[in-house]
Amino acid sequence: MPQLIPFLKKDEIAEMVAAVAQRLSSDYKDSEFVVIGVLKGAFMFVSDLVRGLTIPVEVDFVRVSSYGDAASSSGTIRMTKELELDIKGKDVLIVEDIIDTGLTLDYIVNYVKSFSPKSVRICALLDKRERRMSDVPVDYACCIVEKGFLVGYGLDYAEKYRNLPEIYDLKF
Ligand code: IMP
Ligand code: MG
């Protein structure tokens, strides 16, 4: 059985999310702000993040599949749920649970840009640097991580652990 090593506690997560929500509320004041969450991993983060905003926002989700049940990227990315909102001329924030190689995000940024938004920025709960392969800019990162495989608070390993309210480092 893999071991769950505590990494971020509930109140540490809440504090980081509230701080980013506050920055966003000021940076996107007076703009047509759209948050696009990346399913499934970002579902919990998006729900806490938008509740922390003090500005109007529209929320949508996309879903891409790339990982299967493995702990490292398979390298092939597929859009399995398309964007539904009209984002033309709007200020878009893509919200991800964790960025590893950056390949998923590269794909999503290009997809989102094809709908002619006014701007596109990226917000990640966890910015994992060790295996980055693209130079996609992470504009808002709650927490920088060097390595490891993290689960909980929406993040899974083979679809397990998403429901945990805290974040753990999974030791295989
Ligand atoms: P990337 O394309 O390598 O940046 O992978 C990004 C996606 O892989 C994320 O949206 C996650 O779903 C998944 N992923 C990468 N690292 C982890 C991790 O440590 N725990 C859980 N999921 C991860
Ligand atoms: Mg995942």
Side-chain angles (χ1 to χ4, degrees):
M1 277 297 278
Q3 221 189 328
L4 292 171
I5 314 291
F7 186 75
L8 286 171
K9 289 188 178 42
K10 247 188 197 172
D11 48 338
E12 291 172 317
I13 299 169
E15 219 172 276
M16 294 184 326
V17 175
V20 169
Q22 203 171 19
R23 274 180 68 198
L24 294 170
S25 299
S26 138
D27 293 357
Y28 286 94
K29 173 163 56 84
D30 308 319
S31 77
E32 283 191 274
F33 186 35
V34 184
V35 160
I36 301 178
V38 181
L39 294 172
K40 294 182 235 176
F43 81 99
M44 229 179 254
F45 179 36
V46 169
S47 76
D48 285 339
L49 189 69
V50 298
R51 275 182 288 186
L53 295 172
T54 56
I55 54 167
V57 66
E58 291 178 75
V59 182
D60 203 350
F61 290 94
V62 292
R63 171 142 159 73
V64 291
S65 88
S66 63
Y67 265 39
D69 280 353
S72 69
S73 181
S74 66
T76 41
I77 300 163
R78 220 159 37 90
M79 185 71 56
T80 58
K81 187 222 164 285
E82 304 262 343
L83 193 62
E84 292 170 52
L85 283 180
D86 179 10
I87 60 166
K88 192 166 185 217
K90 297 181 183 172
D91 291 304
V92 170
L93 184 74
I94 299 170
V95 178
E96 256 282 34
D97 54 352
I98 184 164
I99 302 170
D100 185 12
T101 63
L103 298 176
T104 308
L105 206 56
D106 244 354
Y107 179 87
I108 296 169
V109 168
N110 286 325
Y111 170 80
V112 166
K113 281 186 176 165
S114 74
F115 296 96
S116 310
K118 183 175 169 197
S119 68
V120 180
R121 286 191 196 146
I122 291 153
C123 173
L125 176 68
L126 301 159
D127 183 357
K128 190 163 73 177
R129 299 268 171 93
E130 189 188 38
R131 301 193 297 182
R132 192 63 42 86
M133 289 168 70
S134 89
D135 53 8
V136 65
V138 184
D139 303 284
Y140 302 88
C142 288
C143 180
I144 291 165
V145 192
E146 264 321 301
K147 54 184 169 196
F149 197 85
L150 303 164
V151 296
Y153 194 67
L155 290 94
D156 76 306
Y157 173 65
E159 294 301 325
K160 299 287 189 322
Y161 311 114
R162 288 195 200 278
N163 60 308
L164 302 178
E166 319 209 303
I167 297 177
Y168 297 85
D169 194 349
L170 197 64
K171 289 279 175 255
F172 296 95

